Amino acid sequence: MEESLTLVTLHSFGAFQCNLKSLSPLHSDGNVTIAALFSLFNYYCMNMYDSRCEDEKPIEFKLRSYQVSLAFIFAIEEINRNTHILPNTSLGFELYNAIDSHLNILEETLLFLTGMRINIPNYTCRREKKAAALLTGTAWETSIQIGRLLNLYKYPQITFGRFDTILSDRGQFSSLYQTAPRDIFLSHGIVILMVHFSWTWVGLVLIDDHNAAEILSNLRGEMDKNRVCVAFVEMIPFNWITSDFTSRTRHPQILKSSANVVIIYDVTKSLYGIIIYITIHPITWKVWIIKSQQDVTTDVHYFIFDPFHGSLIFGQHHPEISNFRKFIQTYNPSKYPGDHILALLWNTYFNCSFSGPDCKSLIDCLPNASLEMLPRNALEMDMSEESYNVYNSVYAVAHSLHEMNVKQVETHHHSNGEVNTYPWELHSYLKNIYFKNGAEKLMLLDSQRKLDAEYDIFNLWNFPDGLRQKIKVGTFSPNAPQGQELFLSDHMIQWAIGFTELPRSVCSESCVPGFRKSPQEGKAACCYDCTHCPDNEISNDTDMDHCVRCPESHYANTEQSECLQKAVTFLSYEDTLGMTLTYLALGFSALTAGVLGVFVKYHHTPIVKANNQALTYILLITLIFCFLCPLFFIGHPNTATCILQQSTFAVLFTVALSTVLAKTVTVVLAFKVTFPGRLIRWLMISRAPNFIIPICTLIQLVLCGVWLNTSPPFIDSDAYSEHGHIIIICNKGSTVAFHSVLAYLCSMALGSYTMAYLSRNLPDTFNEAKFITFSMLVFFSVWVTFLPVYHSTKGKLMVAMEVFSILTSSAGLLGCIFLPKCHIILFRPHRNVLHHVRNKGHFKGNVNFTA
């Protein structure tokens, strides 16, 4: 009798009400038979190796795994209807049951291999041919456990769980193939989602297995590149017992962390306990980012609020499989009477009764009952991610069998069509299989050529409890152009209860423009204080690490969020200060011209003639120009005015001070004539005092010439003295030359003061010594005060200070020397006669001219 090929998928589940382990596997006849084994229950059992666990009732009926078995059957029936795959061959199936433990998994695997409950390796009691391949999943540890056994027989094994790098090790698992695409870019997609919502402070919950280090490294790497920080990492032991979560495990980091977003990476049975823990403990509402092939559904009642409402779930993208929903709708006990799990569902949800101990025959059922009528949190109607992988696994083996059959027929073309094959012969076809599934999607099993997974992003709606909808709100395509990988419909997202708007998950609030981030010592980079930007620096965006200094032509606004163009300014005639100084300069020059007019008008009077009339006129004319000299300092500077400012000031004041010095020398020499000597007589006859003015002026001209040739004054700008303005000023060029000019002027003033001091005892009528002494004191006071004040001021005030000093020192000369004489000329004319002068000038004692 011909033996049939068998295709097997292996998973695990346990008993509920009926002893499912004692029941024969669900099966369907065909030329080729497919076997499957699934887990539909979670147990309270503390020790899975204890035989008493078989009698313990489960806490959860895992219908999501049941959908996987439905997808398996659906794929087989779809292939049977397809005349292009395995023509003239019908596929059957067998579904095995194993309690979730290492012992029972191996037991059921050996049952599959031997065909008998007494496990005797290397022997088989099967009447039909062994299976062509074995499908395993969804947990990687199940695939590893079975794979090590099947590898001894070179038995083809197809896993439909998450792609795992350890399973792609051909040295250990040369007979194992993986259907699921790789998750290389999943970490990047999760972090891109964080960046999209500006979540920079997130927690991580990971299974502490062989993948944990790699997953954590990938996530941290992507987070560091995108400035997202890890608030905490909760490592769940791989072999964590879910039933003891209330007494053994507390999760203070999840409870106490300020992070409002928590990533649960790859929900498996090891995380069911923490999921239940979250549902029954008053955890602050958080947004859960879940990467899962499993479901977060439990039988725990949430009352009204589901803590996972508003979660965002990353699921590998797959096309819709037509007719799968219709298949589930029409899948019922009357059509599939051998499905004892289906009978249990009808018994549980539709009030049916079992008519016998076989847990198959039902009576008193609800009319027109359908799986579609089950609660949404019990069974999904759309094909899940792992169901799609099972679907593709069946197609992969079917296409491989088809290719092998074609090859065998071509090789044995004289045969009658009967083909004898062995399972290990399928490897060469599985390695290179490249096919289209029922949705016309290209698939392949070679891990080296696998395409990177694309992801759908779902939003979990479960408010009120029982609504249970996963709404697709976006996609992540790692192969899309940069910046376009993530597509998200934000308006469709419902957030967790407690968030009325987009949730925020940050360690520190954002630093607004005008502030910069200042890291907190010993904390993550996302934890910082906000520090105000220094003067004239800005930050024009939120959360800037550094402030940016404005260019010299700009200044920071009050909020220090942008740089504004500085206004160009200078000491102008329109400014109040410039206008005041201009009026003062013109007023004093007019006053000096008036004094000159008085002296010219009364040139014949003794008081005008007494102190060298010519020198008096020179001094007054020079003072007129000294008062007008500040006009070079006011107005928009240019190269000519910058040079004229200092050179004119230096030369005019040199002429004025040398004139004062000449007048003082003349007075002293005039009184020395009373006791003439040869030298005195020669000085008077040769008019030597008249040479003081040109000689002193020539020296100053030489100094100015050297100044202008080496480092002349030039136009400069001061962008810092006055906020918001660029002040156009004249730079003096050489500060040494400028101070040399001032020092020369002060030396002449000191000479005049000395000569005036020597002639202090001469008769008042003829003697200007006291007036000159006071004028020099004023001059010294002005310019000695000028230097420190000048160097402590900036911008226009510096210019104004120099102008004020020029006006003050000039006014001191005018007022101290000439105003007393004008007072006598204009208001005391009786004193300005020769008779009064002679009486006034009578000596009351001897004068020491050599003092």
Side-chain angles (χ1 to χ4, degrees):
M1 178 177 175
E2 179 186 351
E3 294 183 336
S4 301
L5 294 174
T6 306
L7 177 63
V8 181
T9 177
L10 185 62
H11 201 44
S12 54
F13 69 89
F16 179 70
Q17 294 183 356
C18 297
N19 187 357
L20 299 180
K21 187 175 180 181
S22 63
L23 298 176
S24 59
L26 175 64
H27 67 278
S28 174
D29 296 331
N31 301 112
V32 179
T33 305
I34 302 174
L37 195 151
F38 296 97
S39 172
L40 301 181
F41 300 93
N42 285 334
Y43 289 89
Y44 279 118
C45 184
M46 298 293 297
N47 185 358
M48 291 300 178
Y49 293 98
D50 191 344
S51 60
R52 292 174 298 176
C53 290
E54 296 180 6
D55 299 326
E56 303 241 3
K57 290 186 178 181
I59 62 169
E60 187 176 39
F61 192 24
K62 300 196 301 183
L63 282 177
R64 189 178 182 89
S65 294
Y66 185 63
Q67 195 211 59
V68 174
S69 66
L70 296 181
F72 177 77
I73 297 172
F74 170 76
I76 292 172
E77 294 187 358
E78 189 175 68
I79 291 172
N80 283 335
R81 294 192 298 268
N82 191 334
T83 58
H84 300 289
I85 305 176
L86 295 174
N88 303 320
T89 301
S90 61
L91 294 177
F93 61 87
E94 293 181 4
L95 294 178
Y96 287 83
N97 166 39
I99 298 176
D100 192 5
S101 72
H102 296 301
L103 179 61
N104 282 278
I105 289 173
L106 287 175
E107 181 181 329
E108 293 301 321
T109 305
L110 289 171
L111 172 62
F112 156 71
L113 289 172
T114 63
M116 57 187 297
R117 286 289 174 183
I118 301 175
N119 297 319
I120 307 176
N122 298 326
Y123 286 85
T124 179
C125 295
R126 286 180 174 273
R127 296 179 58 190
E128 72 279 3
K129 185 177 291 188
K130 289 183 180 180
L134 180 63
L135 274 64
T136 61
T138 55
W140 62 269
E141 62 270 23
T142 301
S143 298
I144 287 178
Q145 186 179 357
I146 298 172
R148 287 170 178 161
L149 176 61
L150 296 183
N151 199 51
L152 299 175
Y153 300 93
K154 303 299 180 182
Y155 208 102
Q157 178 185 1
I158 316 296
T159 67
F160 55 87
R162 178 175 61 88
F163 186 91
D164 200 305
T165 54
I166 196 172
L167 297 178
S168 61
D169 183 358
R170 306 308 296 174
Q172 294 187 63
F173 307 101
S174 59
S175 301
L176 188 147
Y177 305 89
Q178 300 186 74
T179 306
R182 298 176 298 182
D183 283 327
I184 294 177
F185 294 99
L186 177 60
S187 297
H188 179 63
I190 292 175
V191 175
I192 289 296
L193 182 70
M194 303 293 106
V195 174
H196 176 79
F197 289 117
S198 299
W199 293 332
T200 59
W201 189 240
V202 299
L204 298 179
V205 178
L206 304 175
I207 297 294
D208 192 6
D209 59 11
H210 66 285
N211 289 314
E214 181 182 359
I215 293 172
L216 184 59
S217 176
N218 291 339
L219 281 171
R220 283 190 182 275
E222 290 292 337
M223 288 180 175
D224 290 343
K225 287 191 292 186
N226 292 275
R227 298 187 176 184
V228 179
C229 298
V230 179
F232 64 86
V233 178
E234 186 79 28
M235 302 299 293
I236 306 300
F238 167 68
N239 57 352
W240 192 58
I241 299 175
T242 61
S243 60
D244 198 31
F245 59 88
T246 57
S247 61
R248 292 193 178 186
T249 305
R250 296 293 183 268
H251 302 282
Q253 295 187 93
I254 299 179
L255 290 171
K256 297 179 181 179
S257 175
S258 59
N260 288 325
V261 177
V262 180
I263 300 171
I264 300 181
Y265 196 100
D266 198 14
V267 176
T268 64
K269 64 182 180 182
S270 297
L271 284 180
Y272 280 168
I274 195 173
I275 290 173
I276 298 173
Y277 178 85
I278 291 170
T279 62
I280 66 177
H281 285 78
I283 292 181
T284 305
W285 300 110
K286 296 183 183 294
V287 177
W288 305 93
I289 309 300
I290 302 170
K291 190 277 169 182
S292 175
Q293 280 196 330
Q294 304 293 329
D295 201 352
V296 293
T297 303
T298 68
D299 284 343
V300 177
H301 295 288
Y302 307 117
F303 300 100
I304 298 178
F305 306 112
D306 178 0
F308 289 98
H309 170 73
S311 299
L312 295 174
I313 302 173
F314 277 78
Q316 291 181 354
H317 172 75
H318 59 81
E320 292 294 328
I321 304 300
S322 59
N323 297 324
F324 182 68
R325 176 183 286 269
K326 183 178 180 181
F327 171 78
I328 295 181
Q329 291 171 343
T330 58
Y331 193 85
N332 56 62
S334 61
K335 188 174 181 180
Y336 298 89
D339 191 346
H340 40 76
I341 301 297
L342 186 62
L344 289 176
L345 290 176
W346 250 246
N347 172 258
T348 302
Y349 290 100
F350 303 128
N351 299 321
C352 296
S353 301
F354 292 115
S355 61
D358 59 355
C359 291
K360 292 183 179 180
S361 303
L362 299 169
I363 58 175
D364 301 328
C365 293
L366 184 69
N368 300 321
S370 169
L371 289 175
E372 189 177 25
M373 299 171 64
L374 296 180
R376 287 184 179 271
N377 61 350
L379 181 68
E380 292 186 8
M381 300 299 292
D382 295 326
M383 184 174 283
S384 64
E385 181 180 326
E386 60 269 25
S387 295
Y388 181 71
N389 289 338
V390 169
Y391 177 81
N392 287 328
S393 299
V394 174
Y395 263 88
V397 177
H399 277 278
S400 297
L401 288 171
H402 179 82
E403 293 295 329
M404 186 172 64
N405 283 351
V406 171
K407 185 69 174 179
Q408 291 291 338
V409 170
E410 292 176 352
T411 304
H412 304 86
H413 56 273
H414 296 296
S415 66
N416 57 5
E418 295 181 359
V419 180
N420 295 317
T421 59
Y422 297 95
W424 53 83
E425 297 182 73
L426 198 61
H427 284 302
S428 60
Y429 300 94
L430 288 172
K431 290 178 181 178
N432 303 308
I433 194 65
Y434 191 79
F435 65 93
K436 287 186 178 181
N437 62 15
E440 297 299 314
K441 178 76 172 180
L442 290 173
M443 302 297 299
L444 69 163
L445 297 183
D446 186 359
S447 61
Q448 302 300 321
R449 296 188 296 156
K450 271 189 176 297
L451 302 176
D452 297 322
E454 296 186 353
Y455 299 89
D456 293 326
I457 302 175
F458 299 94
N459 185 214
L460 181 61
W461 293 2
N462 199 24
F463 177 76
D465 184 25
L467 174 63
R468 190 84 190 154
Q469 286 187 335
K470 285 200 311 184
I471 305 300
K472 182 178 177 180
V473 294
T475 58
F476 171 68
S477 302
N479 296 319
Q482 186 175 4
Q484 302 178 23
E485 301 103 325
L486 182 69
F487 173 79
L488 209 59
S489 299
D490 295 11
H491 64 282
M492 296 178 60
I493 300 176
Q494 289 190 8
W495 299 112
I497 305 300
F499 295 113
T500 57
E501 55 186 12
L502 174 66
R504 289 182 55 79
S505 187
V506 295
C507 181
S508 301
E509 290 299 324
S510 297
C511 293
V512 298
F515 291 80
R516 64 174 179 85
K517 295 192 296 185
S518 180
Q520 296 179 359
E521 186 175 357
K523 294 187 178 181
C526 298
C527 301
Y528 49 81
D529 298 318
C530 293
T531 305
H532 205 282
C533 287
D535 291 341
N536 207 40
E537 292 188 11
I538 67 162
S539 60
N540 57 4
D541 202 355
T542 57
D543 292 336
M544 290 191 67
D545 294 323
H546 304 284
C547 297
V548 179
R549 177 170 292 278
C550 291
E552 290 189 358
S553 59
H554 292 70
Y555 69 98
N557 62 348
T558 306
E559 295 78 15
Q560 291 187 264
S561 59
E562 60 177 325
C563 292
L564 304 178
Q565 180 74 40
K566 288 183 178 180
V568 177
T569 185
F570 48 87
L571 185 61
S572 67
Y573 296 105
E574 290 77 16
D575 289 344
T576 302
L577 182 59
M579 188 179 298
T580 302
L581 294 175
T582 301
Y583 288 151
L584 286 174
L586 295 176
F588 277 117
S589 61
L591 178 62
T592 306
V595 172
L596 177 61
V598 170
F599 272 66
V600 171
K601 181 178 179 181
Y602 296 96
H603 65 280
H604 58 280
T605 60
I607 202 167
V608 175
K609 295 179 178 179
N611 296 101
N612 199 325
Q613 190 173 6
L615 292 178
T616 299
Y617 292 157
I618 293 174
L619 179 58
L620 286 173
I621 294 173
T622 303
L623 286 177
I624 292 175
F625 287 106
C626 285
F627 283 121
L628 294 177
C629 174
L631 297 181
F632 286 121
F633 292 80
I634 303 173
H636 195 294
N638 54 59
T639 303
T641 56
C642 286
I643 293 175
L644 289 174
Q645 282 179 8
Q646 305 305 326
S647 58
T648 304
F649 155 70
V651 171
L652 288 176
F653 265 76
T654 300
V655 173
L657 290 175
S658 61
T659 303
V660 172
L661 180 60
K663 288 173 67 66
T664 308
V665 171
T666 301
V667 171
V668 172
L669 291 178
F671 283 96
K672 288 285 185 179
V673 174
T674 310
F675 307 98
R678 292 182 179 180
L679 180 61
I680 300 300
R681 184 177 297 276
W682 178 82
L683 291 175
M684 293 298 294
I685 295 173
S686 61
R687 296 183 177 273
N690 294 337
F691 294 99
I692 294 176
I693 298 174
I695 292 173
C696 293
T697 304
L698 180 62
I699 294 173
Q700 186 67 280
L701 287 173
V702 171
L703 288 176
C704 290
V706 174
W707 182 3
L708 295 179
N709 286 326
T710 56
S711 181
F714 58 89
I715 301 174
D716 197 3
S717 61
D718 181 0
Y720 304 103
S721 299
E722 189 173 339
H723 182 70
H725 294 84
I726 297 177
I727 303 174
I728 306 300
I729 58 175
C730 288
N731 191 302
K732 292 178 172 52
S734 174
T735 56
V736 174
F738 173 69
H739 288 91
S740 298
V741 168
L742 289 181
Y744 180 68
L745 293 176
C746 289
S747 65
M748 287 193 297
L750 181 61
S752 299
Y753 176 80
T754 302
M755 296 302 296
Y757 181 79
L758 292 175
S759 60
R760 66 187 183 280
N761 291 326
L762 295 178
D764 293 343
T765 304
F766 297 94
N767 190 6
E768 290 180 321
K770 292 183 179 179
F771 301 142
I772 293 174
T773 301
F774 282 119
S775 67
M776 292 301 102
L777 286 175
V778 171
F779 186 89
F780 270 118
S781 300
V782 169
W783 290 104
V784 169
T785 306
F786 162 79
L787 289 175
V789 176
Y790 178 79
H791 289 293
S792 64
T793 55
K794 299 290 183 182
K796 292 190 290 185
L797 290 179
M798 179 184 286
V799 179
M801 184 62 198
E802 189 171 358
V803 171
F804 181 77
S805 298
I806 293 173
L807 292 176
T808 305
S809 56
S810 300
L813 292 175
L814 177 65
C816 292
I817 297 176
F818 294 102
L819 288 185
K821 294 183 179 182
C822 288
H823 177 73
I824 294 174
I825 294 172
L826 297 176
F827 301 107
R828 300 288 180 89
H830 61 279
R831 298 177 57 185
N832 191 15
V833 294
L834 185 59
H835 174 73
H836 179 77
V837 169
R838 287 176 177 174
N839 292 334
K840 184 77 175 178
H842 180 70
F843 281 98
K844 297 179 180 179
N846 295 329
V847 179
N848 184 8
F849 293 101
T850 63

